[in-house]
């Protein structure tokens, strides 16, 4: 059963920081901590500006191609949408420019949250940060995700090795991070829920609900931690650990999101969605 744990009692596994650092990234990648939280990472003035542009251009976000039954919209596209529909691969690999333009438009005159994040990664990681490629093609750099009220985003894992089953062994991440920079959360709810548990390919088969790669929370053998992301906050978790977004009311929940792969201290971090 999920248990609500006060974050203050979890300072060992939830690392609060005023800025992203090499040490906290290393600790997260190595599994020594579960979460990095950087409140006020992105300016609240810029958050408001982007939100008002998004609100006035609601049509620029669309539902996930493979999950139209969920009240979750995105600007951009995630690779996993192509998993069972290979005809979307061309669209996926040719949408980066359009995505960049749309994001720059809604963020103008501010630097986009993803750009700030990638610059930070590149500056603080000794081998830098670079876009993830697949068969020499750049992947999409990230997306903007909008969750409408009352919509649960059920427990799941995000793993490049599952989305790309034939990924060469040398390209397997040692760990994969989910990165979110939040622009707005619901008044009530909208917590990010995380379990310190990453079922492997065999274990996970017993946990699936049957819808997408979602997991039955009643079958998860450990308790969860919930944290409520705030506007402007950057949060990183290991995306192979089970995680979910609790439903909420009062507004909608908007975040810029991408993944990052760690392949060792001497290798560049890569990012994509
Ligand atoms: O919106 C969130 O808090 C997390 C969403 C998620 O599942 C992810 O970024 O992988
Ligand atoms: Fe996720």
């Amino acid at each position: 059963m999920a248990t609500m744990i006060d974050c203050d009692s979890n300072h060992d596994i939830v690392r609060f920081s005023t800025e992203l650092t090499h040490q906290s990234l290393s600790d997260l990648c190595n599994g020594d901590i579960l979460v990095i939280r950087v409140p006020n990472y992105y300016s609240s003035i810029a958050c408001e500006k982007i939100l008002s542009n998004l609100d006035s251009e609601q049509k620029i976000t669309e539902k996930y191609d493979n999950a139209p039954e969920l009240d979750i919209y995105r600007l951009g596209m995630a690779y996993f949408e192509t998993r069972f529909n290979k005809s979307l691969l061309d669209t996926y690999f040719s949408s980066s420019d359009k995505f960049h333009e749309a994001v720059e438009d809604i963020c103008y005159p501010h630097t986009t949250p993803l750009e700030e994040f990638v610059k930070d990664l590149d500056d603080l990681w000794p081998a830098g940060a670079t876009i993830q490629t697949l068969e020499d093609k750049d992947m999409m750099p990230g997306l903007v995700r909008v969750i409408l009220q009352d919509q649960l985003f059920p427990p799941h894992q995000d793993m490049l090795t599952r989305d790309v089953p034939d990924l060469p062994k040398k390209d397997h991440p040692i760990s994969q991070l989910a990165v979110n920079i939040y622009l707005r959360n619901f008044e009530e709810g909208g917590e990010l829920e995380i379990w310190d548990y990453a079922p492997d390919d065999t274990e996970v088969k017993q946990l699936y609900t049957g819808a997408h790669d979602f997991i039955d929370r009643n079958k998860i053998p450990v308790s969860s931690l919930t944290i409520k992301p705030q506007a402007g906050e950057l949060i990183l978790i290991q995306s192979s650990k089970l995680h979910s977004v609790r439903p909420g009311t009062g507004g909608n929940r908007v975040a810029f999101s991408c993944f990052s792969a760690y392949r060792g201290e001497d290798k560049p971090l890569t990012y994509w969605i």
Side-chain angles (χ1 to χ4, degrees):
M1 283 307 298
T3 321
M4 176 83 174
I5 308 175
D6 175 11
C7 284
D8 291 342
S9 63
N10 280 287
H11 53 270
D12 291 348
I13 50 172
V14 179
R15 173 86 46 89
F16 273 93
S17 195
T18 52
E19 57 182 15
L20 193 60
T21 63
H22 174 264
Q23 186 63 51
S24 55
L25 267 177
S26 274
D27 290 348
L28 182 65
C29 290
N30 292 314
D32 298 330
I33 55 173
L34 192 57
V35 187
I36 298 175
R37 300 187 69 171
V38 187
N40 305 312
Y41 178 79
Y42 192 64
S43 116
S44 56
I45 293 171
C47 288
E48 288 305 321
K49 177 80 184 163
I50 300 170
L51 288 167
S52 82
N53 287 338
L54 269 175
D55 283 344
S56 64
E57 287 194 63
Q58 271 173 8
K59 56 187 181 314
I60 68 169
T61 61
E62 290 175 344
K63 288 191 166 187
Y64 282 84
D65 197 83
N66 55 346
E69 78 282 15
L70 301 180
D71 263 340
I72 306 182
Y73 289 73
R74 87 286 187 261
L75 168 61
M77 186 181 173
Y79 185 78
F80 82 83
E81 295 179 59
T82 69
R83 176 89 195 265
F84 299 107
N85 186 352
K86 296 298 171 208
S87 70
L88 290 174
L89 279 168
D90 282 348
T91 312
Y92 175 82
F93 283 115
S94 60
S95 295
S96 281
D97 288 348
K98 200 172 131 217
F99 174 73
H100 275 298
E101 266 169 42
V103 166
E104 277 183 5
D105 263 5
I106 57 166
C107 297
Y108 184 83
H110 306 280
T111 315
T112 79
L114 280 175
E115 251 179 280
E116 282 201 10
F117 172 73
V118 167
K119 183 172 184 319
D120 277 355
L121 271 196
D122 195 38
D123 287 347
L124 63 80
W125 198 253
T130 182
I131 189 77
Q132 175 71 44
T133 58
L134 273 187
E135 293 173 359
D136 294 329
K137 293 192 286 279
D138 287 359
M139 296 184 79
M140 287 284 282
L143 52 68
V144 183
R145 186 183 302 111
V146 180
I147 306 181
L148 302 194
Q149 69 171 20
D150 298 321
Q151 178 62 61
L152 166 75
F153 189 172
H156 63 278
Q157 296 169 287
D158 300 291
M159 295 171 69
L160 185 63
T161 47
R162 291 200 190 142
D163 291 339
V164 188
D166 55 359
L167 190 71
K169 255 254 148 27
K170 66 170 182 42
D171 298 330
H172 284 200
I174 297 172
S175 54
Q176 176 173 332
L177 309 181
V179 178
N180 282 274
I181 301 156
Y182 300 86
L183 303 187
R184 174 159 67 201
N185 205 343
F186 299 114
E187 279 163 32
E188 294 293 326
E191 294 87 358
L192 169 63
E193 183 172 19
I194 313 156
W195 290 262
D196 193 359
Y197 178 53
D200 65 22
D201 293 352
T202 313
E203 288 164 337
V204 74
K205 291 194 179 122
Q206 314 300 318
L207 305 177
Y208 282 136
T209 59
H212 305 287
D213 55 355
F214 293 148
I215 276 154
D216 182 347
R217 66 174 46 243
N218 297 313
K219 293 186 183 158
I220 304 175
V222 299
S223 60
S224 66
L225 167 76
T226 53
I227 54 186
K228 179 141 184 183
Q230 305 296 326
E233 184 167 6
L234 166 70
I235 297 187
L236 294 94
I237 60 172
Q238 267 202 29
S239 63
S240 62
K241 305 257 168 118
L242 296 179
H243 58 282
S244 162
V245 180
R246 305 297 304 158
T249 54
N252 54 15
R253 186 181 188 278
V254 184
F256 276 75
S257 192
C258 69
F259 300 119
S260 182
Y262 165 76
R263 297 184 173 87
E265 288 285 334
D266 56 338
K267 302 272 182 1
L269 293 169
T270 60
Y271 61 93
W272 78 97
I273 191 93

